[in-house]
Amino acid sequence: AGMEAAFSMMGADKTPEQRKEAAAAVKKIMEESDAKIKDLLGAEDLAKVKRYEDSQLERMQLQTFTGNLKTKDLSIDEATEAKLMDVMYQERAKFPFASSYVDQQNPDVTRFTPENSERFNQEYGVLNENIASRASGILTPEQLEVFRASQKQQENMIKMQMEMGARMFGAGQH
């Protein structure tokens, strides 16, 4: 139903008022759907689902990290991986980003400016240092070295995505 309402916003023949009505319909459908999911799962399980959805960056980072560990003939047990995941998620959740630049649910493409991209890259570097500091109490020195390398890989990937977004959507905006 949400998809149908969202598609109803598209098309050159739609007036601004029709698009506004369709947007309101999408919002209402999503709120109703979220309420049904909460009723079905309960608050505790819904929180777990939301955390899973919100932890995409951390899961991607862990996948890169564990892959890099294997290339060095190293590994990490499930309990340590879970602790690291918690640290990464907690640090990002509490970090005071100036804006939600990488939020894929954020439809505001005006956030993609060269200035915002540079600010985010600086903030993300600080976040990674915070995470690495806490991870040093969880990982062995060898694992930590590989973890820092995987952080740098992800940082470079996100930097490229931000710069591409700035070129595509933010060129000339200040």
Side-chain angles (χ1 to χ4, degrees):
M3 291 290 278
E4 288 178 21
F7 282 128
S8 73
M9 287 190 284
M10 298 179 185
D13 61 335
K14 302 294 180 189
T15 67
E17 184 59 34
Q18 288 171 320
R19 287 191 177 137
K20 185 177 178 182
E21 289 172 8
V26 168
K27 183 178 179 183
K28 182 180 180 195
I29 290 168
M30 297 309 294
E31 288 171 352
E32 290 170 354
S33 177
D34 286 347
K36 287 178 184 177
I37 292 169
K38 183 178 180 181
D39 288 345
L40 178 67
L41 296 178
E44 186 176 324
D45 285 342
L46 179 63
K48 290 176 186 177
V49 169
K50 293 282 187 192
R51 175 166 173 182
Y52 179 82
E53 291 174 345
D54 190 39
S55 64
Q56 179 183 356
L57 280 175
E58 290 81 14
R59 287 183 285 112
M60 208 166 65
Q61 175 73 49
L62 280 175
Q63 186 175 25
T64 299
F65 172 53
T66 57
N68 289 350
L69 282 173
K70 288 177 186 172
T71 66
K72 305 275 187 187
D73 291 325
L74 298 170
S75 64
I76 186 173
D77 61 56
E78 283 185 40
T80 304
E81 187 174 331
K83 287 179 190 173
L84 182 59
M85 175 69 171
D86 287 343
V87 163
M88 294 165 59
Y89 183 82
Q90 291 163 1
E91 287 297 320
R92 183 179 56 83
K94 74 178 185 182
F95 193 86
F97 285 107
S99 178
S100 55
Y101 306 114
V102 295
D103 180 359
Q104 294 180 6
Q105 302 300 316
N106 183 354
D108 179 15
V109 296
T110 63
R111 72 187 187 277
F112 293 110
T113 65
E115 296 82 7
N116 284 345
S117 179
E118 180 61 32
R119 181 176 36 240
F120 175 76
N121 290 332
Q122 291 170 356
E123 291 173 345
Y124 200 74
V126 172
L127 171 62
N128 276 342
E129 283 303 313
N130 294 349
I131 292 169
S133 176
R134 286 190 59 196
S136 68
I138 298 170
L139 302 174
T140 67
E142 296 83 11
Q143 290 170 331
L144 184 61
E145 182 180 329
V146 175
F147 181 71
R148 284 184 169 274
S150 72
Q151 281 184 308
K152 192 66 177 166
Q153 284 178 301
Q154 186 171 18
E155 194 173 321
N156 288 337
M157 182 193 67
I158 290 172
K159 182 178 181 180
M160 287 188 323
Q161 290 172 341
M162 290 296 298
E163 289 171 354
M164 184 171 50
R167 284 193 303 271
M168 288 173 57
F169 304 116
Q173 294 180 6
H174 297 284

